[in-house]
Structures are given as C-alpha cells and as structure tokens.
C-alpha cells in the first residue's frame, strides 16, 4: 500500500481503539452503567452502535449467534470510519483502494468458514452444501455441492467490488460538485450544494458499512446453521 493509505489505516485503527477505551472507562466509572449516557460522547456513540448491531444481528443471524456480534460491531465501526475519513479535507479514503477492501472481504471469508467448521465439524459443514439429496438423487447433490462451492469462493469478490465501486463513485461525485462551486464561494456567493452532498456522502458511508456488515452476518448465519435450521428455512 502507498504510505498515506497505510497511515490512514493506522490512524483509523488507533482512533477506534482510543474511542473504545474511553467508552469502556466511562462505562466502568458510571454508577448506572445500564442507563444510557445523557451527553453525547464515545460512550454514547458506542452504545448507539451496539444497539444498532444487536437489533441487526438478531434479525440477520438470530439470537443464538450473538457471540459473533463483537466481530460484526468492530467490522461495522472500522468500515464506517474508513469511509467517513474521505469526507475530511486533506485525508484520503482508504476504501478507494481495492486491495484494502479485498483484505476486509478475505478476513470475513476465512472467519465465517472457520466458525462454520468449528460449529458443525468439517464433514457436516461440507455435507450441508449437498442439500437434502441422497440415494438416487445423490448426483444432483454433487451438482449442488459444486454450485455452492463456487458461490462460497466468489463471495469476497462482490463484497470487495460493492464497497470499492460505491465509495469511489460517491467520492468522485462529491469532488466534482465541490470543484464546480468553489469559484462561487471565492466570489462570496454562498452555495449550499457541497454541504448537501457532504450530508449525502455521510449517508452513503453509513449505508455501505451497513451493507458490508449485513452480508457478513448473513454469511455467518448460513455457515453456522445446523441441519434442522436449514430444514426449517426450507419449509
């Protein structure tokens, strides 16, 4: 990676850890830790993120998979901060580099497969890719297994390209409209267009972090679901 991209990654990682430590310290020092904080700060920020991820995780993965929520919350926060960094003047958005997005996608890919094998065992994990086909229908199960295997292998690709394409496009649009209105600002004519696009850009940053995390949760749910869960979903 170029040095400025490495610097941005280290910066975001450091900010995430620092904010987390401040939030934990504030939570431990509170006499009423179960009551949300009244003022907005690191604790309130992480309480909002935790509540959002909890509701999203229960809907996408089920309550039985809450043990994977810390990873999902960390992933969401990290991707969101990476995206938002591109809105700060003088900084480069790390998610404009396909290598960084691919690294995140491969991390998700290896972890959900590892958790699936750990939860079900290697044989059962491979078995559920065959579907319900057995006996005379076994060849159809082999065909289904091949399709599932290809589907698993290409999952990092759409995760990578979706984040890269949407964030790069959003940043380009913001840059174009900012350059168009720069001359008017220099002449003293107030134009709210850049502000509007900054708000829309922040919304896109959130949505893309949300989509990346939601797809991760779905992959974890599919990888760790037991056979009876697949049968219930089929019915």
């Amino acid at each position: 990676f170029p040095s400025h991209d490495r610097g941005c990654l280290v910066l975001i990682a450091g900010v995430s850890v620092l904010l987390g430590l401040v939030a934990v310290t504030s939570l431990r020092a509170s006499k009423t830790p179960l009551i949300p904080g009244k003022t907005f700060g690191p604790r309130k920020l992480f309480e909002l993120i935790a509540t959002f991820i909890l509701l999203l995780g229960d809907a996408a993965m089920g309550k039985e998979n809450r043990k994977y929520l810390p990873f999902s919350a960390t992933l969401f926060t990290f991707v969101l901060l990476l995206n938002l960094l591109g809105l700060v003047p003088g900084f480069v958005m790390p998610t404009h580099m396909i290598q960084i997005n691919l690294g995140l996608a491969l991390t998700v890919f290896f972890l959900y497969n590892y958790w699936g094998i750990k939860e079900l065992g290697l044989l059962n994990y491979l078995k559920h890719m065959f579907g319900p086909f057995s006996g005379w229908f076994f060849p159809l199960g082999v065909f289904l297994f091949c399709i599932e295997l290809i589907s698993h292998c290409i999952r990092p690709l759409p995760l990578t390209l979706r984040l890269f394409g949407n964030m790069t496009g959003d940043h380009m649009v913001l840059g174009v409209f900012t350059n168009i209105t720069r001359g008017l600002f220099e002449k003293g004519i107030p134009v709210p267009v850049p502000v509007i696009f900054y708000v829309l850009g922040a919304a896109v940053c959130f949505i893309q972090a949300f989509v990346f995390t939601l797809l991760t949760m779905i992959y974890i749910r599919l990888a760790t679901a037991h056979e009876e869960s697949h049968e219930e979903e089929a019915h």
Side-chain angles (χ1 to χ4, degrees), residues 32-62:
T32 56
L34 297 179
I35 300 177
K38 296 181 180 179
T39 59
F40 188 82
R43 175 186 167 184
K44 187 69 173 181
L45 173 64
F46 279 96
E47 284 176 344
L48 292 173
I49 293 176
T51 302
F52 171 73
I53 294 296
L54 178 65
L55 296 175
L56 180 64
D58 286 349
M61 297 189 298

Side-chain angles (χ1 to χ4, degrees), residues 13 40 83 113 126 136 140 143 149 161 168 180 190 227 232:
F40 188 82
N83 293 341
N113 278 292
L126 296 175
W136 291 102
L140 186 57
F143 177 70
L149 189 61
L161 296 180
T168 301
I180 289 175
E227 187 174 353
E232 290 175 2

Side-chain angles (χ1 to χ4, degrees), residues 37-109:
K38 296 181 180 179
T39 59
F40 188 82
R43 175 186 167 184
K44 187 69 173 181
L45 173 64
F46 279 96
E47 284 176 344
L48 292 173
I49 293 176
T51 302
F52 171 73
I53 294 296
L54 178 65
L55 296 175
L56 180 64
D58 286 349
M61 297 189 298
K63 294 183 178 180
E64 68 276 7
N65 287 320
R66 282 187 174 181
K67 58 186 175 182
Y68 304 113
L69 289 181
F71 171 74
S72 302
T74 302
L75 182 67
F76 172 80
T77 305
F78 188 65
V79 174
L80 178 61
L81 291 178
L82 288 179
N83 293 341
L84 290 175
L85 188 63
L87 299 179
V88 180
F91 286 91
V92 178
M93 178 179 57
T95 45
H96 84 290
M97 287 195 65
I98 200 167
Q99 299 97 316
I100 294 176
N101 301 336
L102 181 60
L104 292 171
L106 288 176
T107 300
V108 170
F109 175 76

Side-chain angles (χ1 to χ4, degrees), residues 23-38 43 47:
V24 170
T25 302
S26 175
L27 189 63
R28 289 177 176 174
S30 176
K31 296 181 180 179
T32 56
L34 297 179
I35 300 177
K38 296 181 180 179
R43 175 186 167 184
E47 284 176 344

Side-chain angles (χ1 to χ4, degrees), residues 131-154:
F133 302 105
S134 60
W136 291 102
F137 296 98
F138 181 75
L140 186 57
V142 174
F143 177 70
L144 180 62
F145 174 81
C146 295
I147 294 177
E148 284 289 322
L149 189 61
I150 294 173
S151 173
H152 273 270
C153 291
I154 66 173

